[in-house]
Amino acid sequence: ETGVTQSPTHLIKTRGQQVTLRCSSQSGHNTVSWYQQALGQGPQFIFQYYREEENGRGNFPPRFSGLQFPNYSSELNVNALELDDSALYLCASSLSTSGRAHEQFFGPGTRLTVL
Amino acid sequence: AQSVTQLDSHVSVSEGTPVLLRCNYSSSYSPSLFWYVQHPNKGLQLLLKYTSAATLVKGINGFEAEFKKSETSFHLTKPSAHMSDAAEYFCVVSVTGYSTLTFGKGTMLLVSP
């Protein structure tokens, strides 16, 4: 059984650029959640995707957007990068049944640095 | 709205001594509570979970936590620390099962020989 994988592991961008982060969910999982973990902080919920639709969103601006594909993998896109977007971005996959989510399994994260 | 407060940013123990990591929660509804551990350069791992069943919850690697509604606490304990326990620990609350997780700021556990 393959766990949650994320790519790339590290990324350096400059202010104003756009970035795409990728996540492959664990086999059998249909739900993906994204979190931002700034240095010295706990992860903060960005949004969740279920059946290719956004299924909940945290307090992040619209320049943070996502996609979920038919194979349940997912992308996080961030436009107009700001210095404060520098963080570890975590993806978590889970199985949702009858609208109820089960345990989330986390990937190792993508470290984004904005210069 | 829900939130968690981890009362210590750092906890230092000697190997073989007990571990106590403190967490208080706030929730408008009956919460689900979790403890996750994060080792350097590794993903978050679920240690244990409380979802309205037994108030004393046993997790992996000898950790356990007790849900105390009257004190709105969910402290994590272990009788005897091991060097491999050194990591960052997060207390997490959810009011929608596992759906949306709200993390505390974390407690760094340091274990000395």
Side-chain angles (χ1 to χ4, degrees), chain B residues 15-81:
Chain B
E15 192 174 21
T17 64
V19 174
L20 170 64
L21 305 184
R22 298 181 295 165
C23 172
N24 287 347
Y25 71 91
S26 172
S27 174
S28 304
Y29 303 96
S30 295
S32 297
L33 292 159
F34 313 83
W35 277 97
Y36 279 83
V37 61
Q38 187 175 38
H39 291 274
N41 301 317
K42 292 194 175 179
L44 287 157
Q45 182 183 22
L46 180 65
L47 276 180
L48 50 79
K49 57 183 183 276
Y50 165 78
T51 55
S52 77
T55 56
L56 181 62
V57 181
K58 294 189 183 299
I60 61 172
N61 300 334
F63 285 95
E64 63 180 38
E66 186 171 8
F67 173 71
K68 291 187 176 180
K69 187 175 181 179
S70 61
E71 298 176 12
T72 61
S73 69
F74 191 58
H75 301 333
L76 182 70
T77 60
K78 183 173 181 178
S80 176

Side-chain angles (χ1 to χ4, degrees), chain B residues 62-106:
Chain B
F63 285 95
E64 63 180 38
E66 186 171 8
F67 173 71
K68 291 187 176 180
K69 187 175 181 179
S70 61
E71 298 176 12
T72 61
S73 69
F74 191 58
H75 301 333
L76 182 70
T77 60
K78 183 173 181 178
S80 176
H82 192 274
M83 295 296 291
S84 61
D85 294 329
E88 187 148 30
Y89 291 79
F90 292 96
C91 183
V92 182
V93 65
S94 172
V95 295
T96 54
Y98 290 94
S99 188
T100 304
L101 305 180
T102 300
F103 284 75
K105 291 188 175 182

Side-chain angles (χ1 to χ4, degrees), chain A residues 14-67:
Chain A
T14 56
R15 274 184 304 173
Q17 285 189 310
Q18 178 266 342
V19 69
T20 298
L21 311 182
R22 295 178 175 83
C23 171
S24 291
S25 56
Q26 187 165 311
S27 176
H29 288 181
N30 56 13
T31 302
V32 173
S33 304
W34 286 92
Y35 295 82
Q36 180 196 65
Q37 185 177 15
L39 200 61
Q41 302 294 317
Q44 281 196 295
F45 175 70
I46 302 175
F47 44 56
Q48 182 181 85
Y49 277 82
Y50 170 62
R51 292 184 174 177
E52 303 178 51
E53 299 276 339
E54 188 177 288
N55 183 42
R57 188 179 184 94
N59 189 26
F60 281 81
R63 60 189 185 83
F64 285 77
S65 63
L67 283 173

